[in-house]
Amino acid sequence: MEFRIADTFTGSLDKLANDEQKAVKTTAFDLQMNPAHPGLQFHKLDRAKDKNFWSVRAGRDIRIIVHKTDASLMLCYVDHHDAAYSWAERRKLERHPKTGAAQLVEVRETVREVAVPRYIDAPVAPAPEAPSPAEPLPEQSAAEFFKDVAEDDLLGYGVPPEWVSDVKAATEESVLELADHLPAEAAEALLELATGNTPAAPVHIAAEADPFAHPDAQRRFRVMTDKDELERALDFPWEKWTVFLHPAQRQIVEREFSGPARVAGSAGTGKTIVALHRAVHLARRNPDARVLLTTFSETLANALRVKLRRVIGNEPRMAERLDVLSMEGLALRLHQALVGPAELATKEVVRDLLAEAASGVDGLRFSRQFLWTEWSAVVDAWQLADWEAYRDVRRLGRKTRLAETQRKLLWRVFEGVSARLEERRLVTMSGVFGRLTEALAKSPNPPYDFAVVDEAQDVGVAELRFLAALGEGRPESLFFAGDLGQRIFQQPFSWKSLGVDIRGRSSTLRINYRTSHQIRRQADRLLAPELSDVDGNDEDRRGTVSVFNGPVPVIEVVETPDAEVQLVAERIGAWSAEGLQPHEIAVFVRSEAQVPRAQAALDASGLPYRVVGPRMETIHGQASMSSMHRAKGLEFRAVAVMACDDEVMPLQDRIEAVADDSDLEEVYNTERHLLYVACTRARDRLLVSGVQPGSEFLEDLTWSGLAQKS
């Protein structure tokens, strides 16, 4: 007998209390091991439309809904008695007559009406000076969205036959609510149509084919082959991606590429998930290969290690061939093996050397901050070794123009710094990558056969040159996942010039399954609708759709820091009262200077919390608090972004440190990206607060009138 699990089961399991989850897991393991065990109490649901639905007792008031036939048993849902029975009475498992995919369909006659959710307000025209980001749902009258779409086409997208008439009558006000009642592939296709996009061509399978083999069915139903696999699925029920992949993600994970490839997409579209599964796929497909999974910081590398353990479980042989390292950790390890030990020059040491060298150059009229940024972003990043190289380099991302006479003066400074570093046998991290690049060019055997890079938008020049040498132009050797809208550390530069050309091998994910429509829509206002890299590869953010609804984000600016502390504490208390667990809540601030305000709010809320450290694990029973930079890679059901004050977002210290007025654009861009990262960590609920007059970015978040603002 095949034993399956549905994504609706893991989703419902996550909503139960800890002790209830433990009891459900015990019963689920018993069902898998022996469905006929006499201790299992099956009860047939006579009122269910699907006569194969049964309930199984998993506690005094907890019931597991299973779909049972002679050939299979599937865990479908779990809840308290009445709620579980109600769910089953409103569902049926069937094969779609056109696509052939297995679907859990909500029975139409059990839904009284498709109500208009109160949080979808009529769009308000923007002020003339406001930016013009893409609207997920174009402004229209109440006319039906899909009245001109043929019924056969709607069926082809996976709309159940009994829902076609409702879809044909859907308007702008009802389409989001309607999507909540439909199978995921149908909901996503309708949202894409509503935003003016063309959904991907639907997949149809033969009538005699297994309906669970359809790509859309594989995203929601999974055969559990053994107890360990089921245990992994139940240990982290919120993280469904450990078990279920979207067809668009699976296609990228399993695709064969002829060269370097990249997956892009806005926050919440699953780029990291694709990177994780891509690394595992390469390791499984190539049993003798060594695979590297890397990212730009140790904090994010630790988060990847945790996620990877959840994907591969107890497959120790695979874990031995799959290394998860930060770029810096990787470089220092390989440098030790291939070159020898490296003594790193700190940022402070280099700044002192720059000041010392500049004092001996007459006629130099550049600030210390300009010298530092020119050194770090140009000379050191590109590992320029002589005057000719500096004279001819394209200073991408550097707005200040330099005449050749000025470059000559600057080169005297940088040449002096390089000499002093060599005398003291110090090397910068860019220098470490430079040495490794040279060493790899001479080595017949690369240390890794494949490299998968997450958060690739923040990989620097020296790192990318090293990765290009590591890949050696081999097909599929390099795979990148990143979002230009989340670039907060690196200035833009040309990948193609360093031998990494992703043109024709770049994919964009457009289905956001982590962040509600309302939060995604507001956060997107911080960024341009289309971003491009230096090589002309475009990332069009329009057409991204979220597949679930939630409350409208709240943007509040108050009189004093104490008032903000009280506001956030009350909001956290309300979230807890709604049933959110502490580990599902987080508070973020711009930098360490604002941390005391966040701590005061959490203290006032009475919620236990922890400060996010390098390991980044979510600790059950504790809320999380950190700076926005450490928010990367995390996700929560509710997030408060505090201290969005004037001169904090964007940070005044960064603005004052700008060496040239034209460099302000880059500062403002990365500050916007940082706030975008913090806001998009939220799944269902988002509060953004500050003290009057508040950050100028808050106006961009609220210009449409859709967010609640005090």
Side-chain angles (χ1 to χ4, degrees):
M1 173 180 283
E2 283 195 322
F3 185 84
R4 291 191 179 93
I5 185 173
D7 64 343
T8 49
F9 179 79
T10 57
S12 58
L13 174 65
D14 187 52
K15 296 176 182 178
L16 298 180
N18 286 342
D19 56 340
E20 294 171 336
Q21 288 191 27
K22 291 177 182 178
V24 170
K25 291 177 184 179
T26 300
T27 305
F29 293 141
D30 291 341
L31 283 166
Q32 184 187 39
M33 298 302 293
N34 181 13
H37 192 285
L40 295 169
Q41 301 179 33
F42 281 86
H43 177 72
K44 191 170 182 61
L45 303 183
D46 296 327
R47 295 177 58 185
K49 298 290 185 181
D50 191 322
K51 298 308 178 183
N52 290 315
F53 274 143
W54 296 68
S55 78
V56 178
R57 184 186 179 98
R60 189 176 69 176
D61 190 46
I62 300 297
R63 299 296 182 268
I64 297 175
I65 303 301
V66 300
H67 190 273
K68 184 165 71 80
T69 68
D70 292 339
S72 67
L73 180 74
M74 181 161 68
L75 306 179
C76 295
Y77 194 75
V78 62
D79 207 332
H80 293 266
H81 181 284
D82 292 350
Y85 276 45
S86 175
W87 183 92
E89 290 164 5
R90 292 182 290 112
R91 300 294 190 287
K92 57 184 176 180
L93 179 66
E94 63 183 17
R95 180 193 187 105
H96 191 279
K98 188 169 182 68
T99 68
Q103 295 179 326
L104 274 170
V105 177
E106 187 169 3
V107 179
R108 178 62 188 92
E109 60 261 31
T110 65
V111 182
R112 293 184 178 179
E113 62 178 334
V114 178
V116 178
R118 287 179 295 174
Y119 44 75
I120 300 180
D121 301 324
V124 177
E129 70 276 12
S132 183
E135 288 291 332
L137 299 179
E139 293 186 27
Q140 298 185 9
S141 67
E144 292 84 353
F145 263 123
F146 312 110
K147 66 177 181 179
D148 296 326
V149 182
E151 289 190 11
D152 194 58
D153 290 338
L154 293 176
L155 290 171
Y157 291 129
V159 176
E162 61 199 82
W163 283 91
V164 168
S165 60
D166 294 276
V167 171
K168 296 284 282 187
T171 66
E172 178 183 357
E173 287 76 23
S174 65
V175 64
L176 289 168
E177 176 70 9
L178 174 64
D180 289 341
H181 296 280
L182 298 175
E185 66 270 26
E188 291 163 11
L190 295 185
L191 290 172
E192 288 203 61
L193 287 170
T195 57
N197 297 290
T198 302
V203 176
H204 299 163
I205 61 174
E208 64 274 11
D210 179 4
F212 291 98
H214 191 288
D216 288 324
Q218 289 179 344
R219 68 190 289 186
R220 50 179 169 258
F221 308 116
R222 173 85 173 266
V223 174
M224 299 283 106
T225 57
D226 55 41
K227 181 178 181 294
D228 291 331
E229 191 174 10
L230 178 62
E231 186 173 12
R232 291 201 301 274
L234 301 185
D235 277 347
F236 309 99
W238 186 24
E239 297 179 330
K240 294 183 184 180
W241 51 265
T242 59
V243 179
F244 309 101
L245 272 184
H246 188 282
Q249 296 172 325
R250 186 177 299 279
Q251 184 179 37
I252 298 170
V253 166
E254 298 177 355
R255 181 179 167 186
E256 294 186 11
F257 296 97
S258 59
R262 180 177 71 182
V263 61
S266 57
T269 53
K271 300 175 298 298
T272 295
I273 304 314
V274 168
L276 280 161
H277 283 270
R278 176 71 178 176
V280 172
H281 172 74
L282 290 170
R284 285 197 173 121
R285 198 180 67 188
N286 303 275
D288 297 323
R290 289 194 62 82
V291 180
L292 169 69
L293 179 58
T294 186
T295 188
F296 70 89
S297 76
E298 185 61 32
T299 300
L300 288 174
N302 281 324
L304 286 175
R305 291 186 192 104
V306 172
K307 288 180 169 67
L308 184 66
R309 286 197 297 269
R310 295 172 186 173
V311 174
I312 64 175
N314 59 343
E315 298 181 65
R317 294 192 62 185
M318 181 179 295
E320 291 170 2
R321 297 187 293 109
L322 215 167
D323 287 344
V324 184
L325 298 164
S326 68
M327 288 296 298
E328 184 172 321
L330 168 68
L332 293 175
R333 175 189 289 193
L334 289 181
H335 193 283
Q336 177 75 31
L338 301 178
V339 182
E343 186 174 351
L344 291 178
T346 65
K347 181 178 178 179
E348 291 71 26
V349 166
V350 175
R351 282 184 176 273
D352 289 344
L353 292 178
L354 283 166
E356 178 185 326
S359 66
V361 178
D362 295 333
L364 191 70
R365 292 183 173 82
F366 294 99
S367 68
R368 289 189 176 187
Q369 179 61 22
F370 178 86
L371 291 175
W372 164 250
T373 55
E374 184 75 0
W375 163 268
S376 59
V378 180
V379 178
D380 190 40
W382 290 89
Q383 288 293 284
L384 305 179
D386 52 46
W387 155 245
E388 288 75 16
Y390 181 58
R391 179 192 62 196
D392 299 334
V393 71
R394 293 181 63 201
R395 301 168 62 254
L396 291 171
R398 303 289 289 157
K399 307 295 192 303
T400 306
R401 296 183 178 181
L402 295 177
E404 185 169 324
T405 53
Q406 294 173 308
R407 288 204 190 197
K408 283 184 177 179
L409 290 175
L410 287 167
W411 180 249
R412 288 174 58 189
V413 175
F414 301 140
E415 189 176 38
V417 171
S418 297
R420 291 288 290 137
L421 288 173
E422 188 172 352
E423 287 173 9
R424 296 169 64 171
R425 297 185 178 180
L426 297 176
V427 61
T428 63
M429 185 53 63
S430 291
V432 169
F433 281 109
R435 291 176 181 177
L436 285 176
T437 301
E438 295 177 0
L440 289 175
K442 301 173 184 176
S443 174
N445 300 311
Y448 295 98
D449 301 282
F450 304 99
V452 177
V453 185
D454 191 32
E455 302 288 356
Q457 75 278 350
D458 280 313
V459 169
V461 172
E463 291 98 316
L464 191 69
R465 180 177 279 154
F466 157 75
L467 289 167
L470 184 65
E472 291 186 315
R474 300 186 309 277
E476 302 199 292
S477 59
L478 296 177
F479 184 88
F480 301 90
D483 173 19
L484 294 177
Q486 297 185 64
R487 180 177 57 81
I488 58 178
F489 293 109
Q490 291 295 332
Q491 291 184 330
F493 62 93
S494 171
W495 284 26
K496 182 183 174 184
S497 68
L498 297 178
V500 180
D501 188 356
I502 59 169
R503 291 176 302 173
R505 292 181 295 274
S506 182
S507 306
T508 301
L509 297 170
R510 301 194 183 280
I511 306 299
N512 186 319
Y513 59 87
R514 186 186 72 197
T515 303
S516 73
H517 164 76
Q518 288 70 25
I519 293 174
R520 180 194 56 76
R521 189 178 189 183
Q522 293 304 125
D524 279 352
R525 300 182 188 284
L526 291 167
L527 307 178
E530 185 173 321
L531 302 173
S532 299
D533 65 17
V534 172
D535 297 322
N537 298 295
D538 296 329
E539 289 186 10
D540 190 345
R541 311 179 76 80
R542 290 166 293 205
T544 299
V545 296
S546 298
V547 296
F548 65 95
N549 286 306
V552 175
V554 176
I555 316 294
E556 295 219 22
V557 179
V558 296
E559 293 284 346
T560 66
D562 287 344
E564 186 191 25
V565 167
Q566 181 179 355
L567 165 72
V568 175
E570 290 175 353
R571 182 67 57 167
I572 292 173
W575 290 337
S576 296
E578 292 171 14
L580 271 69
Q581 299 299 309
H583 66 274
E584 298 173 331
I585 298 172
V587 179
F588 298 124
V589 291
R590 169 62 182 82
S591 56
E592 296 299 321
Q594 293 83 46
V595 163
R597 276 160 74 176
Q599 290 177 316
L602 284 162
D603 288 337
S605 75
L607 212 63
Y609 67 93
R610 55 94 189 216
V611 178
V612 175
R615 298 199 63 80
M616 291 180 67
E617 294 103 334
T618 298
I619 300 177
H620 201 88
Q622 293 186 15
S624 297
M625 188 275 294
S626 81
S627 67
M628 294 181 185
H629 285 88
R630 281 198 166 162
K632 262 183 172 291
L634 299 175
E635 55 188 80
F636 302 89
R637 287 209 162 118
V639 167
V641 182
M642 288 185 67
C644 294
D645 306 345
D646 184 39
E647 299 191 355
V648 174
M649 290 297 303
L651 195 64
Q652 189 66 22
D653 289 349
R654 288 195 67 196
I655 294 174
E656 292 175 353
V658 169
D660 189 281
D661 288 345
S662 58
D663 287 336
L664 275 175
E665 180 183 358
E666 181 65 16
V667 170
Y668 271 83
N669 282 343
T670 53
E671 291 286 303
R672 282 181 177 276
H673 295 177
L674 193 56
L675 182 56
Y676 173 80
V677 166
C679 290
T680 54
R681 302 309 94 189
R683 174 180 170 84
D684 302 306
R685 296 163 177 80
L686 173 64
L687 167 67
V688 183
S689 63
V691 173
Q692 289 187 351
S695 166
E696 61 193 270
F697 294 161
L698 299 187
E699 293 300 317
D700 297 330
L701 274 173
T702 58
W703 69 262
S704 69
L706 289 178
Q708 299 173 9
K709 183 181 179 183
S710 63

